[in-house]
């Protein structure tokens, strides 16, 4: 009896141990799964973060990298098209689909994509899928049966005038027949596919060749239908959309978001040429809200195509792209796309289903994402100085050297947005000292510095005034002969742009001008004459910009650096 009781007790203990061990394992798994986007510092709204373009990756490969993607600060991933392609193998077949459905693909199955979406949400990461909607494969016999009828296609020949909106939206792109997207049945087919993606957890769409689909104002309700699906979308508009470009872009952004390829290309092109940027934005300057824009350091087109067909970034050093991305991705309103570069630069050796570079894990790329995520909603100012592009945000800054080299730099703290103090660069670990007007520190070998504080931001205050105490001084007036004259200053020499009168023109002078405009510094009368760099009779931000251009040896520097007596 005792032996039987002992045996029973042992069995119970073993069972309890098994259940306990299993419970511990389950709890550990749950704890791991519960480490969501907030734990990785990802924003609540993924549109406040940046997007990793997993170009050509299998869904399973993206799924296996989700932890690293979250750690690198990306709030979304973008996949290549999920539609069944005409053929498997080379990447461009993915952009020649048979129809609007998921089928056999080098990227994986529908269940694989659904599994990716489910797992991604555990990390606070959303999934964006590329959509090919204005055309299908060039082999008309392979497309889905219900779209074969000619009434669903424009039959007007090839587009020859890329500035003509009618040709752009109703003529063929090369050998690909143009789908009649204004047709209600065509829209219903596409809508069914979009809802299918939405149903398995996809939370964003990227529309390939979006400028080849007309807007509702032009008689095509396609993008209004897309808006009705209720999923965030953006359209690929690589260059001029034809017609009145600004009004056309404004029309698109009523329904979808768009690439700002002009501005993105400007930043990357200048980094390639070792120059600071020549503009702060493109479509924003023309009245389009920044929240409607998507930037990129490079796209799959600029990398994967031949150099004579738009593939202009493929041979650029990764560091050039990273420095461009640093400036674009740190902006406050838009989001930016980071391309996982394919393993080959040869268009014919880039394959669907082939995992690309994992350089997205690098310190410099992750630091920029962390910066953007940490400072959501805070104001920003863009500037240049000391051979650098600079994004100042309320709480920190991202600095990228135009020539890619490191070294000590002093750049403007534009608008005093970065609170004075000492900061540590997340990339190199170097220290940066910030005053109300300047930021000085060492940029590491990547050419990128990122520093910030998540402490509540306080608006910069003006320097205390030097008013006399309330107790009045004796009222005895000085003799009238001692009163200062009101004659204009008689400076007859000096260097134009020399705000601090040290007989040199430097970034410090541009900073002093900016500070004087903000009423944080009072220029002497002599300095005021020297600071009218563009000779328009006043002191304004353009004078500071002239000085920055003079330092960067750019055109448009006004009279900066010239002797005052030579000009006046």
């Amino acid at each position: 009896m005792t032996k039987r009781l002992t045996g029973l007790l042992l069995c119970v203990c073993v069972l309890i141990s098994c259940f306990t061990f299993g419970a511990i394992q389950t709890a550990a798994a749950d704890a791991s799964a519960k480490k969501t986007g907030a734990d990785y510092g990802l924003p609540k709204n993924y549109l406040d973060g940046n997007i990793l373009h997993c170009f050509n990756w299998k869904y399973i490969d993206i799924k296996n990298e989700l932890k690293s993607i979250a750690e690198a600060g990306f709030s979304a991933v973008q996949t290549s098209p999920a539609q069944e392609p005409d053929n498997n193998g080379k990447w461009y077949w993915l952009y020649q689909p048979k129809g609007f459905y998921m089928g056999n693909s080098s990227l994986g199955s529908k269940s694989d994509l659904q599994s990716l979406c489910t797992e991604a949400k555990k990390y606070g990461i959303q999934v964006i899928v590329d959509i090919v909607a204005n055309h299908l494969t060039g082999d008309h016999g392979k497309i889905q049966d219900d779209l074969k009828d000619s009434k669903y296609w424009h039959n007007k020949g090839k587009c020859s005038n890329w500035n003509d909106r009618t040709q752009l939206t109703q003529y063929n792109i090369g050998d690909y027949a143009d789908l009649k997207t204004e047709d209600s049945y065509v829209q219903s087919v596409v809508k069914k596919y979009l809802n299918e993606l939405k149903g398995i957890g996809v939370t964003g769409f990227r529309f390939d060749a979006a400028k080849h689909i007309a807007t509702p104002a032009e008689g095509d309700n396609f993008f209004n239908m897309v808006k009705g699906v209720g999923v965030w979308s953006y359209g690929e508009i690589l260059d001029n959309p034809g017609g009145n470009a600004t009004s056309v872009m404004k029309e698109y952004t009523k329904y979808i978001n768009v690439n700002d390829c002009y501005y993105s290309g400007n930043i990357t092109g200048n980094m390639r040429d070792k120059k600071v940027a020549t503009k702060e934005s493109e479509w924003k300057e023309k009245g389009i809200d920044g929240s409607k824009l998507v930037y990129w350091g490079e796209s799959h087109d600029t990398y994967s195509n031949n150099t004579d067909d738009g593939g202009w970034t493929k041979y650029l050093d990764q560091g050039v792209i990273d420095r461009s991305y640093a400036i674009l991705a740190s902006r406050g309103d838009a989001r930016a796309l980071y391309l996982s570069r394919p393993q080959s630069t040869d268009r014919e050796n880039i394959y669907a289903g082939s995992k690309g570079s994992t350089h997205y894990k690098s310190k410099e790329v992750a630091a920029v994402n962390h910066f953007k995520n940490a400072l959501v909603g805070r104001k920003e100012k863009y500037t240049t100085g000391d051979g650098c592009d600079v994004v100042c945000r309320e709480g920190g800054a991202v600095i990228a050297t135009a020539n890619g080299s490191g070294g000590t730099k002093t750049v403007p703290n534009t608008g005093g947005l970065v609170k004075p103090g000492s900061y540590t660069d997340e990339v190199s670990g170097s220290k940066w000292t910030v005053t109300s007007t300047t930021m000085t520190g060492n940029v590491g070998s990547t050419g990128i510095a990122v520093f910030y504080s998540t402490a509540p931001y306080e608006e910069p205050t003006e320097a205390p005034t030097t008013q006399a105490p309330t107790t009045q001084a004796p009222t005895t007036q000085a003799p009238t002969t001692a009163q200062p004259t009101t004659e204009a200053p008689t400076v007859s020499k000096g260097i134009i742009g020399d705000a601090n009168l040290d007989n040199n023109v430097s970034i410090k002078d541009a900073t002093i001008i900016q500070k004087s405009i903000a009423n944080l510094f009072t220029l002497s009368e002599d300095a005021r004459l020297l600071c009218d760099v563009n000779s328009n009779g006043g002191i304004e931000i353009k004078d500071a910009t002239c000085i920055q251009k003079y330092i960067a040896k750019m055109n448009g520097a006004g009279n900066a650096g010239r002797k005052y007596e030579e000009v006046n």
Side-chain angles (χ1 to χ4, degrees):
M1 182 69 178
T2 302
K3 288 182 179 180
R4 289 180 63 190
L5 183 59
T6 302
L8 286 170
L9 288 172
L10 285 171
C11 288
V12 170
C13 289
V14 170
L15 288 171
I16 290 173
S17 298
C18 289
F19 284 126
T20 302
F21 180 69
I24 292 172
Q25 283 189 313
T26 301
D30 287 344
S32 176
K34 289 177 182 177
K35 189 172 184 181
T36 60
D39 299 297
Y40 293 103
L42 301 184
K44 291 180 180 179
N45 182 348
Y46 81 95
L47 299 177
D48 289 326
N50 292 318
I51 306 164
L52 176 63
H53 189 183
C54 298
F55 178 58
N56 288 332
W57 287 35
K58 288 184 175 71
Y59 305 129
I60 186 65
D61 288 335
I62 303 175
K63 182 179 176 180
N64 291 337
E65 288 280 347
L66 285 171
K67 183 175 183 293
S68 295
I69 292 169
E71 289 173 342
F74 289 99
S75 59
V77 292
Q78 179 178 305
T79 77
S80 294
Q83 294 150 270
E84 183 175 350
D86 184 351
N87 206 338
N88 287 315
K90 295 172 183 178
W91 68 276
Y92 46 74
W93 287 115
L94 294 173
Y95 292 87
Q96 300 176 45
K98 295 178 180 179
F100 297 98
Y101 57 90
M102 283 174 274
N104 295 324
S105 169
S106 301
L107 306 183
S109 64
K110 177 180 177 178
S111 61
D112 290 333
L113 178 56
Q114 184 170 16
S115 178
L116 166 62
C117 293
T118 301
E119 189 68 15
K121 286 180 181 177
K122 296 177 183 178
Y123 290 89
I125 295 172
Q126 305 299 317
V127 177
I128 300 167
V129 171
D130 207 345
I131 309 291
V132 182
N134 84 299
H135 69 272
L136 295 175
T137 178
D139 187 342
H140 205 72
K142 292 183 178 179
I143 66 173
Q144 65 184 77
D145 288 338
D146 59 336
L147 291 179
K148 287 181 178 178
D149 195 306
S150 62
K151 67 182 181 181
Y152 299 129
W153 299 85
H154 294 125
N155 298 288
K156 300 179 179 180
K158 293 183 180 180
C159 177
S160 59
N161 183 354
W162 296 82
N163 286 314
D164 185 313
R165 282 293 292 170
T166 298
Q167 286 203 29
L168 206 62
T169 59
Q170 296 184 24
Y171 285 49
N172 297 355
I173 306 175
D175 296 325
Y176 303 113
D178 197 68
L179 192 60
K180 192 178 286 186
T181 51
E182 68 269 28
D183 184 90
S184 60
Y185 182 72
V186 172
Q187 290 179 18
S188 70
V189 172
V190 179
K191 183 177 181 180
K192 180 181 178 182
Y193 173 60
L194 298 181
N195 278 318
E196 182 181 10
L197 291 172
K198 179 181 178 181
I200 64 172
V202 173
T203 53
F205 305 134
R206 180 260 191 192
F207 284 90
D208 183 68
K211 74 176 182 180
H212 296 284
I213 300 175
T215 66
E218 296 168 316
D220 188 339
N221 201 48
F222 182 87
F223 283 122
N224 193 33
M225 174 277 291
V226 169
K227 184 177 180 180
V229 173
V231 172
W232 181 83
S233 303
Y234 80 99
E236 175 207 40
I237 300 179
L238 289 181
D239 46 28
N240 194 328
N244 185 333
T246 300
S247 64
V248 170
M249 291 295 278
K250 286 182 178 179
E251 187 65 25
Y252 276 119
T253 56
K254 292 178 182 178
Y255 308 96
I256 60 172
N257 295 258
V258 294
N259 286 121
D260 191 340
C261 293
Y262 281 131
Y263 175 52
S264 300
N266 178 269
I267 295 292
T268 302
N270 277 283
M271 288 293 181
R272 173 198 60 197
D273 299 336
K274 300 183 178 181
K275 299 177 181 178
V276 293
T278 55
K279 61 172 59 184
E280 182 178 351
S281 65
E282 178 63 38
W283 294 119
K284 281 173 65 175
E285 291 177 354
K286 296 177 179 177
I288 293 176
D289 191 273
S291 65
K292 290 289 188 177
L293 302 175
V294 177
Y295 302 141
W296 46 253
E298 65 182 338
S299 73
H300 77 265
D301 284 304
T302 67
Y303 186 91
S304 298
N305 283 318
N306 292 330
T307 52
D308 61 354
D309 191 28
W312 66 280
T313 67
K314 66 170 62 191
Y315 297 119
L316 296 183
D317 183 80
Q318 181 73 68
V320 171
I321 303 301
D322 290 348
R323 296 198 310 279
S324 174
Y325 178 79
I327 297 304
L328 295 164
S330 57
R331 303 301 296 269
D333 43 12
R335 69 272 331 143
L337 192 76
Y338 188 86
L339 176 70
S340 166
R341 284 181 151 185
Q343 300 298 339
S344 174
T345 56
D346 182 357
R347 179 178 185 271
E348 299 302 321
N349 285 320
I350 298 174
Y351 294 95
S354 178
K355 183 178 177 180
S357 167
T358 58
H359 182 72
Y360 73 84
K361 300 178 185 180
S362 67
K363 267 190 174 184
E364 56 269 30
V365 173
V368 171
N369 292 335
H370 297 160
F371 171 91
K372 185 180 183 76
N373 297 339
L375 303 181
V376 170
R378 298 196 184 187
K379 295 178 184 177
E380 70 170 45
K381 294 285 185 180
Y382 172 82
T383 190
T384 60
D386 206 359
C388 301
D389 290 275
V390 183
V391 174
C392 294
R393 299 283 300 275
E394 293 176 338
V398 170
I399 299 160
T401 61
N403 63 10
S405 64
T408 300
K409 300 289 181 181
T410 296
V411 298
N413 179 11
T414 305
L417 283 185
V418 187
K419 186 177 181 180
S422 180
Y423 295 80
T424 301
D425 174 17
E426 186 176 325
V427 182
S428 69
S430 65
K431 299 297 181 182
W432 281 75
T433 300
V434 176
T435 70
S436 62
T437 58
T438 62
M439 302 182 289
T440 301
N442 185 69
V443 179
S445 59
T446 64
I448 300 170
V450 180
F451 54 86
Y452 58 95
S453 169
T454 56
Y457 175 75
E458 298 177 1
E459 291 284 350
T461 57
E462 293 187 5
T465 61
T466 55
Q467 293 180 343
T470 54
T471 302
Q472 294 184 351
T475 58
T476 303
Q477 295 182 347
T480 56
T481 55
Q483 292 294 324
T485 65
T486 57
E487 295 179 4
T490 58
V491 62
S492 61
K493 61 181 180 179
I495 301 174
I496 295 179
D498 181 16
N500 60 2
L501 303 179
D502 67 350
N503 207 35
N504 183 44
V505 178
S506 68
I507 193 64
K508 293 179 181 179
D509 300 303
T511 302
I512 288 173
I513 290 176
Q514 293 169 336
K515 191 175 178 182
S516 73
I517 294 170
N519 295 320
L520 298 176
F521 185 90
T522 302
L523 293 168
S524 69
E525 291 299 327
D526 285 356
R528 288 190 65 82
L529 291 178
L530 296 177
C531 287
D532 183 13
V533 184
N534 61 6
S535 301
N536 71 346
I539 309 299
E540 55 187 8
I541 196 64
K542 291 180 180 179
D543 297 305
T545 301
C546 286
I547 291 173
Q548 293 170 347
K549 289 182 176 180
Y550 169 77
I551 295 168
K553 298 181 179 180
M554 296 172 60
N555 293 329
N559 291 316
R562 298 181 64 186
K563 293 182 179 179
Y564 179 84
E565 57 268 33
E566 292 177 352
V567 178
N568 296 276

